[in-house]
């Protein structure tokens, strides 16, 4: 069983709308949690990184939250753009990095 | 761009063959990690090299091996290719092996095994 579960598996939204992606993890303890954006056929690019003691981190239109008690994280995207279409991957790290399977987001005009 | 490059971009091999994939890390980054990403899945950790020594390994058989060179380049070698080895192979470089350091990913090599 994967230690990092993401939902939904895929999501389609209209340009300009907001959305929230979820990440549940069982890795414990952990040192940090990252969200990556991966365009099709490309390597992942870091969006946010939070240590276990942080509960929110923003990067422009991306805001990540972390609840260490419930072992949940979310990535909120505001005012979506067509270029936000990508896979978003949650990664929990201790000594190594445990990747979720990602949420495939499609933003339509 | 992350400053990490990989070659080749795409590769087609047949079952049983051997393949070498290459990665050039950011200058000054002493650590390189390799990942296998199957279609629709997240990357799976293969192994990590720090200062030319293996520094951790995921659940991959010995036919997956690697090398890291002093000039910040590295290789992933896969022997006796199997159909299930078809995937996107990613390398990521970082300053050192601490999990606090950000990993910068290359664009990947798409390997197809027929």
């Amino acid at each position: 069983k994967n230690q990092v579960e993401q939902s939904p598996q895929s999501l389609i939204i209209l340009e300009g709308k907001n959305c929230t992606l979820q990440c549940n993890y069982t890795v414990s303890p952990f040192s940090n949690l990252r969200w990556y954006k991966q365009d099709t056929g490309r390597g992942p690019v870091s969006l946010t990184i939070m240590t276990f003691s942080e509960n929110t981190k923003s990067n422009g239109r991306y805001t990540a939250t972390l609840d260490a008690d419930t072992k949940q994280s979310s990535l909120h995207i505001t005012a979506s753009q067509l270029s936000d279409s990508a896979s978003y991957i949650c990664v929990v790290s201790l000594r190594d990095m445990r990747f979720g399977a990602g949420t495939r987001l499609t933003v339509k005009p | 761009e992350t400053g990490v490059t990989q070659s080749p971009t795409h590769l087609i091999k047949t079952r049983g063959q051997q393949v070498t994939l290459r990665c050039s890390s950011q200058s000054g980054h002493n650590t390189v990690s390799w990942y296998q990403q199957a279609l629709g899945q997240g990357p799976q950790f293969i192994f990590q090299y720090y200062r030319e020594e293996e520094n951790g390994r995921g659940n991959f058989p010995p036919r997956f091996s690697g090398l890291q060179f002093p000039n910040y380049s590295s290789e992933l070698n896969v022997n006796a290719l199997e159909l299930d080895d078809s995937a996107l192979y990613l390398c990521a470089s970082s300053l050192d092996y601490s999990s606090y350091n950000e990993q910068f990913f290359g664009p990947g090599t798409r390997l197809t095994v027929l």
Side-chain angles (χ1 to χ4, degrees):
Chain A
K1 182 171 166 48
N2 197 356
Q3 294 176 296
V4 182
E5 299 282 349
Q6 292 188 243
S7 61
Q9 189 174 23
S10 61
L11 183 62
I12 300 174
I13 62 173
L14 293 177
E15 187 179 12
K17 297 296 186 183
N18 304 336
C19 67
T20 300
L21 314 180
Q22 300 290 346
C23 174
N24 295 338
Y25 61 91
T26 58
V27 180
S28 184
F30 69 96
S31 59
N32 56 70
L33 185 147
R34 292 179 166 93
W35 282 91
Y36 281 90
K37 177 185 179 185
Q38 185 176 23
D39 293 311
T40 301
R42 309 290 295 177
V45 175
S46 179
L47 294 175
T48 64
I49 176 171
M50 292 181 288
T51 66
F52 64 88
S53 61
E54 296 178 287
N55 52 30
T56 188
K57 184 67 69 78
S58 290
N59 177 5
R61 295 181 296 104
Y62 301 103
T63 299
T65 64
L66 173 62
D67 185 335
D69 291 331
T70 61
K71 296 185 173 59
Q72 294 180 326
S73 176
S74 65
L75 180 69
H76 187 72
I77 305 174
T78 58
S80 61
Q81 301 175 358
L82 298 179
S83 60
D84 292 334
S85 296
S87 288
Y88 292 84
I89 303 175
C90 172
V91 185
V92 181
S93 301
L94 183 55
R95 178 173 168 76
D96 59 2
M97 297 170 71
R98 307 294 172 91
F99 289 75
T103 291
R104 177 70 203 171
L105 175 66
T106 302
V107 180
K108 293 195 168 183
Chain B
E1 297 301 322
T2 62
V4 179
T5 60
Q6 291 186 242
S7 63
T9 307
H10 297 88
L11 197 55
I12 299 175
K13 291 284 189 177
T14 56
R15 197 169 46 181
Q17 284 188 310
Q18 178 267 341
V19 69
T20 298
L21 311 182
R22 293 182 173 82
C23 172
S24 180
S25 300
Q26 280 195 20
S27 180
H29 282 192
N30 295 310
T31 303
V32 64
S33 303
W34 284 90
Y35 297 87
Q36 179 195 66
Q37 187 176 22
L39 204 60
Q41 299 296 315
Q44 298 291 315
F45 175 67
I46 302 174
F47 46 57
Q48 180 184 82
Y49 278 78
Y50 171 69
R51 294 185 184 272
E52 302 156 53
E53 302 264 343
E54 189 176 289
N55 188 48
R57 189 178 184 92
N59 190 25
F60 280 80
R63 59 189 185 85
F64 286 79
S65 63
L67 286 171
Q68 185 186 27
F69 304 101
N71 65 352
Y72 306 113
S73 67
S74 60
E75 293 180 353
L76 164 65
N77 298 289
V78 187
N79 293 322
L81 283 167
E82 301 177 359
L83 298 179
D84 285 347
D85 295 335
S86 295
L88 181 69
Y89 288 85
L90 297 163
C91 73
S93 77
S94 54
L95 276 173
D96 63 36
Y97 55 79
S98 168
S99 63
Y100 290 99
N101 286 316
E102 180 161 356
Q103 293 197 3
F104 296 86
F105 285 84
T109 293
R110 171 71 62 187
L111 173 64
T112 302
V113 182
L114 302 176

